[in-house]
Amino acid sequence: MSMNMYERLGGAPGIGRLVDDIVEAHMANPLIQARFLPYREQPERLAAVKRHLRDFLGMGSGGPEQYDGKGMVGAHRGMNIGADEYMAAMDDILGVLAKHGVDDQTQKDVLAIAYSLKGEILRV
């Protein structure tokens, strides 16, 4: 029996580690760090962002988590995210997946989901 994406990402513990590293990568990325660095000074907000990301990734990859955050448009409304920022975030995500040894097919699956949301993130 083949594993679902949730299992391939390491279940809840694996997704938690991925989210921690993705947020750190965003904070270090010169193209998007200005959007993420303020969270360092707001530990409660940072924890909430990470929780939402874990739940979103968990539910979206077939896990038992329930995402109760805003929809993509609501979460990104007013941020005026450009294509360069979007691609920087995608590069960070792929880099973290590779660093964690996530297989190529799972990386492609995650990328496909991310691209499917692009219209709900860019310039909303």
Side-chain angles (χ1 to χ4, degrees), residues 74-120:
H76 297 91
R77 185 179 311 285
M79 294 174 77
N80 198 29
I81 294 170
D84 56 337
E85 291 178 295
Y86 179 82
M87 289 311 300
M90 292 300 101
D91 288 344
D92 287 348
I93 292 167
L94 280 177
V96 167
L97 292 173
K99 186 179 102 180
H100 282 259
V102 173
D103 66 276
D104 288 346
Q105 185 57 54
T106 304
Q107 289 184 42
K108 288 177 186 161
D109 293 344
V110 170
L111 200 59
I113 292 167
Y115 273 119
S116 76
L117 299 170
K118 187 175 181 179
E120 299 175 42

Side-chain angles (χ1 to χ4, degrees), residues 1 4-5 11 13 15 17 28 30-32 43 48 50 53 59 64 82-83 86 94 100 114 120:
M1 191 176 124
N4 68 16
M5 188 189 305
I15 287 172
R17 288 188 294 272
L31 275 171
I32 56 177
K50 287 184 176 183
L53 274 170
M59 189 175 91
Y86 179 82
L94 280 177
H100 282 259
E120 299 175 42

Side-chain angles (χ1 to χ4, degrees), residues 3-123:
M3 294 192 292
N4 68 16
M5 188 189 305
Y6 182 74
E7 294 162 330
R8 289 181 283 154
L9 291 173
I15 287 172
R17 288 188 294 272
L18 290 171
V19 165
D20 286 345
D21 284 0
I22 288 166
V23 171
E24 283 301 315
H26 289 351
M27 287 180 174
N29 188 322
L31 275 171
I32 56 177
Q33 67 185 172
R35 296 187 184 276
F36 290 89
L37 282 174
Y39 292 132
R40 283 210 199 279
E41 311 302 316
Q42 305 166 338
E44 309 82 16
R45 190 135 179 252
L46 178 60
V49 166
K50 287 184 176 183
R51 188 184 75 248
H52 282 311
L53 274 170
R54 284 193 306 268
D55 290 347
F56 184 79
L57 267 174
M59 189 175 91
S61 63
E65 289 81 2
Q66 292 299 307
Y67 176 72
D68 61 1
K70 298 175 181 174
M72 286 296 106
V73 173
H76 297 91
R77 185 179 311 285
M79 294 174 77
N80 198 29
I81 294 170
D84 56 337
E85 291 178 295
Y86 179 82
M87 289 311 300
M90 292 300 101
D91 288 344
D92 287 348
I93 292 167
L94 280 177
V96 167
L97 292 173
K99 186 179 102 180
H100 282 259
V102 173
D103 66 276
D104 288 346
Q105 185 57 54
T106 304
Q107 289 184 42
K108 288 177 186 161
D109 293 344
V110 170
L111 200 59
I113 292 167
Y115 273 119
S116 76
L117 299 170
K118 187 175 181 179
E120 299 175 42
I121 295 171
L122 285 185
R123 308 268 183 230

